[in-house]
């Protein structure tokens, strides 16, 4: 059986900023990185609820450590007071 030629699936990602939906492709790199960090922190907090709390660091001074990979420098984790 021959395969049919299918058109590629086109997708676009949008985020809500100041009450308006904005295409992620139109955002500058810094804002895209901030959106990615927020999504990653939300995912980790949901997966590790009751075990750890993750936060996005707000200031560049907090991420100055060159010995830590950039992906990990953007997040801060602490153990929560929850008991199992």
């Amino acid at each position: 059986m021959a395969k049919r030629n299918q058109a590629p699936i086109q997708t676009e990602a949008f985020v809500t900023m100041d009450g308006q939906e904005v295409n992620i492709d139109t955002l500058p790199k810094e804002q895209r990185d901030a959106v990615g960090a927020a999504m990653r922190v939300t995912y980790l907090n949901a997966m590790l609820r009751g075990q750890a709390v993750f936060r996005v660091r707000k200031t560049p001074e907090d991420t100055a450590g060159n010995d830590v990979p950039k992906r990990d420098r953007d997040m801060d984790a602490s153990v929560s007071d929850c008991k199992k």
Side-chain angles (χ1 to χ4, degrees):
M1 240 181 167
K3 287 191 171 187
R4 292 185 222 160
N5 290 336
Q6 294 182 346
I9 298 172
Q10 300 290 325
T11 61
E12 292 184 348
F14 291 89
V15 293
T16 303
M17 298 181 76
D18 298 326
Q20 294 183 342
E21 287 188 353
V22 179
N23 189 333
I24 287 186
D25 293 335
T26 63
L27 295 175
K29 182 177 181 344
E30 294 81 21
Q31 285 184 325
R32 284 195 312 267
D33 290 345
V35 169
M39 289 173 61
R40 191 168 45 245
V41 166
T42 301
Y43 170 77
L44 288 171
N45 282 329
M47 292 294 294
L48 299 172
R49 180 167 288 138
Q51 298 174 18
V53 176
F54 292 86
R55 293 179 292 281
V56 176
R57 292 185 179 166
K58 299 293 182 188
T59 60
E61 294 83 26
D62 291 340
T63 61
N66 292 330
D67 57 333
V68 181
K70 181 180 182 336
R71 181 178 183 132
D72 296 332
R73 278 187 276 144
D74 292 338
M75 291 187 294
D76 184 25
S78 62
V79 177
S80 66
D81 295 334
C82 298
K83 293 183 182 180
K84 292 184 177 183

